């Protein structure tokens, strides 16, 4: 299905907290542009927040300044000018704070979803979903301006949210529905009936939340999405030169200004709410700031006063998307697991993963981008992500396990995990790469307040069970009054004598005698708290590792799809490998499948996939894919294939391929030769039909006698022509003193066409060699055998059909061969539309046969028209414009119509609504300009099929064909 028109973004900015992550996230944006998720002309910028705690408001102001700078420079200005905003659609995405369950933050948290229509196969992150929502759902129709979107929530928005932009000015927030109970821990909007925002509450009182309840019983939640008009964005941008708001930008920081923390919603937008007074606004504190000293409060008050002056007169309205949904990604493991699983689902969600024993995955569990070898058991409500594990492994209910590789599997053998979060992390300590692991309980709290737990038990019980002491985790002189998980130095990052693994934490699940070996090893390690670990995470290595594992499982998938003969398209995976710059391993896998295939169909499809890889590598710059495939340099590998040495042929093809990778033109020519290699295998498979060819010796024709073979043409109401080959074969055999039965002749034609390299279908010749109305079928097996069933029709229906059937020569000649190459290419790629169309063709053939049995002209007409639509899907370009014009003119007068054979020109056949319509339709077409040299002909259903005659100078003998 074609993607709807989306926003053509001028700039997309992704803000992040860490300087060393800017290049990492810049690359991630560029990768998405290569995948066609982002328009090609969009300027992409990953921008570091000036300070880690500038808040969402400060990050927005800084990002807006950076966007204006780049657009000003692109327009040729030497200073920043807000004029560049007037024709720009800008999207600012905020990464937000650290997230306990993904090292790359909430934006890059992978979700258990796939996009089957995506042109490039890839993992789907929260960022991808938000990009899609902003580009195709919320953004379309909006005027130039600035969209700001957080990435710390999961959103669901309908395809048409019904947002009106008529007479819009100011700023507009997007609200999604939530329950009053949910709103107690979140932000909520109070509006008037026209959608004007009166106030914004965060963790409001029961009375405040009740005031926000809408007629549907829900409340409009602060969803993290807002739009600024150009005028409002200019006003906001103007504040970057005025203290103390200049401290929110990198310019202020570089000038030595003291950082200030601002909230987008509770500072910048709150001052625009209708019911908010200046006095209340100046003394308020945003929830992001928390508690602080009076000096901080005074600094913030000055910043708020500046915002009030600039933005107070700008209206703030709300668009409420009643059919959408919002879920904040909290630091609660239980809530996070619920967001990634489907409780009550009939089976496990398996996304971009290869699992050997799927029956061990419980219903309601989720597996994303994993390779699971051997028995790996996963309990309900548990999630596996980015893991390559080798069983036996038992992960019970309520677990999140991420980032583990085969080397870590042994630590899990013989142990059942339950209600735990086990994560592997890539680190960089003082420039050296490494691995660390964290282990926490599903019920543990990440808040800094409260008694807290660790591994789902109170700290006191944990200390008693393991022998760990409080001073192991916190400095004795600064022991917290209440033990706090984020600051506890629990996690080893370096051991003096060995590599670290999950076992360096899993021992804590067992009772330990004081002074046990595991405890001593743990104490000997350099350990960090979760908070200390965050700046040491190597996000580039993390994303690279995920990408590597994704392609490892993808190679397993490609092998399985081919060897199991599945009707799944590998084209999106091929594009992924090419655009990520790693086609080599995929080519090697395809070579292995082709060389080891016991089925020529599997081998031919694998070679066709190699051709697809080469064609994608050319990126449309090397010419047409269809073309000759007989270059002498490829004859050696072709000769191996011709003599049946598949392994040697595939190896020789790969050796020759390596010489043709340097530029697009060579890549396309190499792709053509791989398709040629596939045709050799197809030819050998089809030629297996000779198994059903036999002849009978008869008397030779006498001197001077001619052998004349006559055969009707074929009209296909639903299968495509090889009738001439059958007629010629029959005549030649008879001239040589042999006759061939009709069934044998049908199979002999298949052999002949492959020898002549004209290709063709497997059942085409049935239409002319056999008399009357029939259905041809062949099973998916070798040797290839075509079976024919005669269709019995009501008495008198054949004559009725003759009266309503006409043939129109379109005046356009056509050659089916190039069309055939395109069809085969699409079929071997298993493009979803082509696979579905092929199944529809088979299904409609049976429906058409039933139409003949019923004697229903309208039903046959419907089948005929549907059949032509199916042909066009199978071979785009087979309908010339003049033919389309002719069919449009004839449409009111016919039950149905189609071009014969493969299309592209030739003959058009019609099933007219009224009988005997030749003259009437000639008059209709005569009034239409631009149709060229057409002609209309009468046509009848043949009841004889192929016949042979011996004609001499004195007499002639008619030999009915056996």
């Amino acid at each position: 299905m074609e993607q709807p028109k989306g926003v053509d973004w001028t700039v997309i900015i992704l803000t992040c907290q860490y300087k060393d992550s800017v290049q990492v996230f810049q690359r991630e944006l560029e990768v998405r542009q290569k995948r066609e998720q982002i328009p090609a002309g969009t300027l992409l910028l990953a921008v570091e927040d000036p300070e880690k705690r500038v808040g969402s408001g400060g990050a927005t102001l800084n990002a807006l300044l950076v966007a204006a700078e780049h657009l000003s420079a692109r327009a040729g200005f030497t200073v920043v000018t807000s004029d560049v905003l007037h024709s720009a659609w800008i999207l600012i995405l905020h990464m937000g704070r650290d997230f306990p369950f993904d090292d790359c933050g909430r934006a890059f948290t992978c979700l258990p979803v796939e996009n089957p229509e995506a042109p490039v196969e890839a993992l789907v992150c929260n960022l991808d979903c938000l990009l899609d929502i902003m580009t195709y759902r919320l953004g379309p129709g909006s005027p130039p301006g600035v969209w700001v979107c957080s990435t710390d929530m999961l959103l669901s928005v309908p395809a048409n949210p019904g947002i009106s932009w008529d007479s819009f000015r100011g700023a507009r927030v997007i609200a999604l529905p939530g329950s009053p109970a949910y709103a107690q821990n979140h932000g909520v909007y109070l509006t008037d009936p026209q959608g004007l925002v009166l106030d914004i509450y965060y963790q409001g009182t029961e009375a405040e939340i009740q005031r926000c309840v809408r007629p549907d019983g829900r409340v409009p939640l602060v969803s993290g999405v807002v739009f600024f008009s150009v005028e409002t964005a200019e006003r906001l941008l103007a504040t970057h030169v005025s203290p103390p708001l200049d401290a929110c930008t990198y310019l202020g920081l570089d000038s030595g200004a003291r950082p200030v923390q601002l909230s987008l919603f509770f500072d910048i937008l709150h001052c625009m709410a209708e019911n908010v007074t200046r006095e209340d606004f100046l003394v308020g504190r945003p929830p992001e700031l928390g508690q602080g000293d009076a000096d901080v409060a005074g600094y913030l008050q000055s910043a708020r006063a500046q915002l009030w002056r600039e933005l107070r007169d700008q209206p703030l309205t709300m668009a409420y998307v009643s059919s959408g949904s919002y879920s904040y990604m909290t630091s609660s493991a239980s809530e996070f697991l619920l967001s990634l699983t489907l409780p009550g689902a009939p089976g496990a969600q398996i996304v971009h993963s290869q699992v050997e024993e799927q029956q061990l995955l419980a219903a309601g569990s989720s597996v994303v981008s994993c390779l699971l070898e051997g028995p790996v058991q996963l309990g309900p409500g548990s999630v596996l992500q980015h893991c390559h594990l080798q069983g036996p492994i038992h992960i019970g209910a309520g677990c999140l396990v991420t980032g583990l590789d085969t080397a870590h599997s042994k630590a899990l053998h013989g142990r059942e995990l339950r209600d735990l979060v086990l994560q592997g992390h890539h680190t960089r300590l003082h420039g050296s790469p490494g691995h660390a692991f964290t282990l926490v309980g599903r019920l543990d709290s990440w808040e800094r307040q409260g008694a807290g737990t660790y591994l789902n038990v109170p700290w006191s019980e944990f200390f008693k069970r393991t022998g760990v002491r409080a001073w192991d985790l916190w400095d004795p002189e600064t022991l917290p009054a209440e033990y706090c998980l984020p600051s506890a130095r629990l996690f080893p990052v370096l051991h003096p004598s060995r590599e670290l693994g999950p076992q360096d934490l899993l021992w804590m699940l067992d009772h330990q005698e004081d002074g046990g070996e595991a405890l001593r090893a743990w104490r000997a390690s350099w350990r960090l708290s979760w908070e200390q670990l965050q700046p040491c995470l190597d996000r580039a290595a993390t994303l690279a590792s995920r990408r590597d594992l994704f392609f490892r499982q993808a190679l397993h998938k490609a092998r399985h799809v081919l060897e199991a003969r599945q009707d799944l398209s590998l084209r999106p995976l091929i594009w992924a490998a090419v655009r990520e710059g790693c086609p080599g391993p995929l080519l090697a896998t395809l070579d292995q499948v082709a060389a080891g295939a016991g089925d020529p169909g599997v081998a031919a499809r694998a070679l066709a996939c190699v051709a697809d890889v080469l064609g994608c590598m050319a990126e449309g710059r090397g010419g047409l894919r269809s073309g000759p495939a007989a270059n002498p340099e490829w004859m050696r590998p072709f000769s191996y294939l011709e003599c049946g040495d598949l392994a040697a042929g595939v190896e020789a093809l790969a050796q020759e391929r390596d010489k043709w990778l340097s530029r697009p033109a060579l890549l396309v020519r190499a792709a053509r030769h791989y398709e040629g290699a596939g045709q050799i295998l197809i030819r050998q498979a089809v030629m297996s039909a000779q198994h059903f060819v036999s002849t009978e010796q008869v008397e030779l024709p006498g001197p001077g006698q001619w052998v004349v073979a006559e055969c009707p043409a074929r009209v296909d109401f639903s299968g495509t022509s090889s009738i001439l080959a059958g007629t010629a074969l029959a005549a030649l055999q008879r001239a040589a003193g042999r006759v061939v039965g009709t069934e044998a002749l049908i199979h002999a034609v298949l052999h002949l066409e492959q020898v002549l390299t004209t290709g063709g279908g497997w059942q085409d010749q049935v239409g002319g060699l056999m008399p009357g109305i029939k259905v041809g079928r062949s099973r998916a097996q070798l040797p290839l055998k075509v079976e024919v069933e005669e269709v019995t029709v009501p008495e008198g229906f054949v004559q009725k059909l003759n009266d309503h059937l006409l043939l129109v020569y379109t005046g356009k000649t056509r050659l089916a061969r190039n069309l055939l190459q395109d069809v085969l290419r699409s079929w071997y790629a298993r493009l979803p539309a082509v696979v579905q169309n092929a199944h529809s063709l088979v299904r409609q053939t049976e429906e058409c046969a039933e139409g003949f049995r019923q004697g229903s002209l309208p039903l046959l007409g419907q089948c005929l028209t549907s059949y032509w639509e199916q042909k066009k899907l199978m071979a785009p370009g087979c309908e010339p414009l003049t033919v389309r014009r002719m069919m449009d003119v004839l449409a009111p007068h016919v039950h149905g119509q189609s071009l014969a054979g493969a299309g592209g020109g030739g003959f058009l056949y019609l099933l007219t609504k009224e009988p005997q319509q030749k003259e009437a339709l000639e008059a209709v077409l005569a009034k239409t300009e631009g149709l060229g040299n057409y002609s209309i002909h009468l046509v009848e259903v043949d009841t004889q099929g192929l016949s042979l005659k011996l004609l001499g100078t004195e007499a002639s003998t008619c030999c009915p064909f056996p």
Side-chain angles (χ1 to χ4, degrees), residues 266-288:
F266 299 97
D267 283 317
I268 294 177
L269 293 176
H270 200 206
C271 73
M272 301 164 63
E274 184 72 13
N275 287 358
V276 175
T277 65
R278 184 177 188 277
E279 292 72 20
D280 290 341
F281 179 67
L282 294 184
V283 299
R285 298 174 65 87
E288 297 178 28

Side-chain angles (χ1 to χ4, degrees), residues 670-783:
R672 293 170 180 169
H673 284 82
Y674 261 92
E675 289 181 344
Q679 288 296 325
I680 293 174
L681 301 182
I682 294 173
R683 182 164 71 248
Q684 292 172 342
V686 178
M687 288 172 72
S688 67
Q690 66 183 327
H691 178 80
F692 304 103
V693 177
S694 61
T695 62
E696 180 183 340
Q697 196 74 33
V698 295
E699 182 180 357
L700 285 168
Q705 282 191 309
W706 287 81
V707 178
V708 179
E710 293 181 347
C711 190
R714 170 199 50 111
V715 168
D716 47 317
F717 271 69
S718 187
T720 52
S721 177
S722 306
I723 297 170
L724 177 62
T727 308
L729 265 181
L732 290 172
Q733 291 281 7
R734 182 64 186 88
R738 292 190 293 270
V739 293
V740 190
T742 304
E743 180 180 336
L745 187 59
I746 288 171
H747 294 87
V749 168
L750 298 179
H751 191 279
L752 173 63
E753 287 195 322
Q754 298 306 316
V755 171
L756 297 176
T757 71
T758 56
W762 291 357
Q763 306 166 13
D764 300 2
Q765 60 276 22
V766 170
L769 301 182
M770 299 285 289
I773 300 165
K774 55 270 171 186
V775 179
R777 300 182 180 92
S778 60
R779 303 177 188 275
Q781 62 186 34
L782 296 179

Side-chain angles (χ1 to χ4, degrees), residues 429-768:
L429 302 171
H430 301 294
S432 299
H435 282 88
F437 301 87
T438 56
L439 179 68
V440 299
R442 178 176 65 86
L443 304 177
D444 294 345
S445 171
W446 290 89
E447 302 299 326
R448 299 190 65 89
Q449 294 82 28
T453 61
Y454 182 56
L455 299 181
N456 303 314
V457 298
W459 283 102
S460 57
E461 184 177 333
F462 168 74
F463 292 149
K464 181 179 179 181
R465 183 176 69 194
T466 62
V468 174
R469 297 294 177 256
W471 52 81
D472 289 321
L473 306 179
W474 299 277
D475 293 332
E477 62 275 12
T478 59
L479 276 176
E482 295 177 332
Y483 299 139
C484 172
L485 175 55
S487 63
R489 293 192 299 270
L490 282 160
F491 310 119
V493 295
L494 189 65
H495 190 276
S497 61
R498 60 173 175 81
E499 294 259 334
L500 294 171
Q503 67 275 6
D504 292 293
L505 289 170
L506 291 172
W507 66 271
M508 295 179 177
L509 301 173
D510 307 318
H511 181 78
Q512 298 288 320
E513 296 294 334
D514 190 40
E517 179 59 35
L519 175 59
R520 287 194 295 272
W522 177 81
R523 281 179 170 153
S525 300
W526 178 23
R527 303 185 311 279
L528 297 178
S529 68
W530 183 82
E531 291 176 336
Q532 293 169 328
L533 184 61
Q534 298 310 299
C536 302
L537 295 175
D538 190 339
R539 293 169 179 83
T542 298
L543 291 170
S545 174
R546 292 179 184 179
R547 189 171 292 110
D548 175 69
L549 179 56
F550 170 79
F551 280 110
R552 268 188 281 158
Q553 69 81 25
L555 295 181
H556 281 71
K557 171 187 172 179
R559 179 184 293 275
H560 179 70
V561 165
L562 294 173
E563 294 178 344
R565 305 174 182 84
Q566 293 182 342
D567 283 341
L568 292 177
S569 176
L570 295 179
R571 181 74 62 77
L573 173 57
I574 289 171
W575 272 118
V578 170
R579 293 189 172 175
E580 298 275 351
C582 49
L586 179 57
L587 287 171
T589 298
L590 295 173
D591 288 342
Q592 293 168 11
V593 172
D599 184 324
V602 172
R605 185 180 173 190
L607 295 179
C609 287
V610 173
D612 254 1
V613 175
L614 299 173
C616 290
M617 289 172 67
E619 296 185 325
R621 294 178 292 149
L624 296 175
R625 280 286 302 274
S626 297
N631 187 291
E633 296 182 32
W634 292 84
M635 291 302 103
R636 186 176 71 89
F638 281 10
S639 66
Y640 286 124
L641 298 179
E642 293 284 7
C643 69
D645 193 342
L646 183 59
V650 172
E651 182 180 3
L653 283 169
Q655 292 171 352
E656 187 61 35
R657 178 181 72 213
D658 290 341
K659 307 172 187 176
W660 295 66
L661 304 179
S662 59
R663 63 180 190 272
L666 292 180
L667 286 164
V668 169
R669 291 167 64 191
R672 293 170 180 169
H673 284 82
Y674 261 92
E675 289 181 344
Q679 288 296 325
I680 293 174
L681 301 182
I682 294 173
R683 182 164 71 248
Q684 292 172 342
V686 178
M687 288 172 72
S688 67
Q690 66 183 327
H691 178 80
F692 304 103
V693 177
S694 61
T695 62
E696 180 183 340
Q697 196 74 33
V698 295
E699 182 180 357
L700 285 168
Q705 282 191 309
W706 287 81
V707 178
V708 179
E710 293 181 347
C711 190
R714 170 199 50 111
V715 168
D716 47 317
F717 271 69
S718 187
T720 52
S721 177
S722 306
I723 297 170
L724 177 62
T727 308
L729 265 181
L732 290 172
Q733 291 281 7
R734 182 64 186 88
R738 292 190 293 270
V739 293
V740 190
T742 304
E743 180 180 336
L745 187 59
I746 288 171
H747 294 87
V749 168
L750 298 179
H751 191 279
L752 173 63
E753 287 195 322
Q754 298 306 316
V755 171
L756 297 176
T757 71
T758 56
W762 291 357
Q763 306 166 13
D764 300 2
Q765 60 276 22
V766 170

